[in-house]
Amino acid sequence: MGAKGFREKLEGRELKLFAVFSLFLLFAAGAAGMRQEGQGPAEVIRGLWTIVMSRDALITDYFELAGYGAAFLNAVLVMGMGLALMHREKIKYTGLTMAAMFINVGYALWGKNPVNILPIFLGASVYAKAHGFRMSKYLYTTLFGTSLAPLVTELIFLLPFGRGINLLIAVGAGTLIGFVLPVLSVHTATMHGGFNLFNVGFSCGILAFVIVCVLKAFGLESNPVMIWREGRPLWIGIGLYGFFLLAFLYGLYLEKGDWKGLLRIWKHPGRAVADFVLMEGVGCTLMNMALVGALCTTYIWLIGGDFSGPVVGAILTAFGFSAFGSHVRNYTPVLGGVFLAALVNQYSPTTPGVQLASAFAVGLAPIAGRFGVLAGIVAGMLHIAIVMCTSQMYGGLNLYNNGFSAGWVAIIMVPMLESFMLERRDRKRKRKNAS
């Protein structure tokens, strides 16, 4: 079979193949991590048990908590569950699919596991049945909504009852979260006008804040944690670059060596909904994803940051959302704003929260795409100021803290920017009419 015949056979299944290949690479990464730490299968299984049985509040680095092998195995299981749901519901793979898949893979390195996400899946399923729809209608909201999975785990430790009763209440709370999020996320999207790519993260932040306030009213308070693995293991860096290179070459192959689609993506502002797969095709989208992933990795390396579980997870999240709104042109100004802010405020570029914000700044990329480089820089600087405060609002129980913060940045900046643009257009129109 020639190259043309192979492309024709792949048509419509390009991203599904890429997702399965990524799952295999995660498993390979786990095997490499086992070798680095001298672990055997029994130790990895014990590490996975530790992940399931431990608190998951921000920041809980599974690399440090349980080891590389267990962390990557956890990611394999979480991604496998998502792929199984996609297959069962017969969902077409698009840019939004890539965003949902890789944000879950990323956070499976620091907060999500196959157990604490299940009640949220259940709640979304109940909501769908209550409204007479298939689960497929709310599947993406469900996948993104697992942001509040740490809350499910936390209630088991936080509530004053017996472990069995605590477990039942935790499952009930997770089910309620999955039930509420589909309708809540629709309303929050109108608040920031599509300029925050992490919309469900914003709605999860609001919901988490309300739940934490209720818990505090009963004298129950969760505290954030800090479990973080420092250092930049060469094998992780090489693995990330290798993955992005393979994604780029696969995309280039699908595009038959043509770069024009990638250049067209760079012209889009990225405002949601901007599904690059549907707009420009699979090949050029994969090329764009690879370049953004490589940019994030290079930035962390240059500032002397850490390839911890959270940072690797954030890089993979940025990689996924580069199929759904972010690209090198609209992301770079916001990333620059994050770096500049860390030079002039009390934080350092290598502060854990700032490292994470540098990758998650992709959520605000549409602001730079729509309003220009300067607006993107300001958005990045403002994002740092907000994101370093908001995690205290909900005791580290919303994994998408950056999505919540990005929502407020967009709500604050976009109305002002649009008013100035409207005023400038009016002045140009008046000058044109006068001439």
Side-chain angles (χ1 to χ4, degrees), residues 54-114:
S54 300
R55 294 181 64 215
D56 300 301
L58 293 175
I59 298 175
T60 304
D61 184 345
Y62 290 165
F63 285 175
E64 182 68 17
L65 178 70
Y68 292 117
F72 281 114
L73 177 59
N74 185 64
V76 167
L77 294 175
V78 170
M79 185 178 186
M81 290 173 65
L83 292 177
L85 279 173
M86 296 285 296
H87 178 74
R88 192 191 73 174
E89 298 298 324
K90 297 180 174 60
I91 300 293
K92 180 182 178 181
Y93 281 61
T94 66
L96 184 57
T97 311
M98 293 294 98
M101 285 291 105
F102 282 99
I103 197 172
N104 276 301
V105 169
Y107 277 99
L109 301 178
W110 62 302
K112 297 181 183 182
N113 63 64

Side-chain angles (χ1 to χ4, degrees), residues 1 7 31 33 68 101 108 155 173 197 224 261 317 340 351 362 369 377 385 435:
M1 182 185 297
R7 286 195 193 92
Y68 292 117
M101 285 291 105
L155 288 175
L197 297 179
T317 300
L340 290 175
T351 300
V362 295
I377 292 173
S435 61

Side-chain angles (χ1 to χ4, degrees), residues 328-345:
V328 171
R329 285 190 63 188
N330 65 4
Y331 166 51
T332 303
V334 190
L335 176 62
V338 171
F339 179 73
L340 290 175
L343 294 180
V344 299
N345 61 25

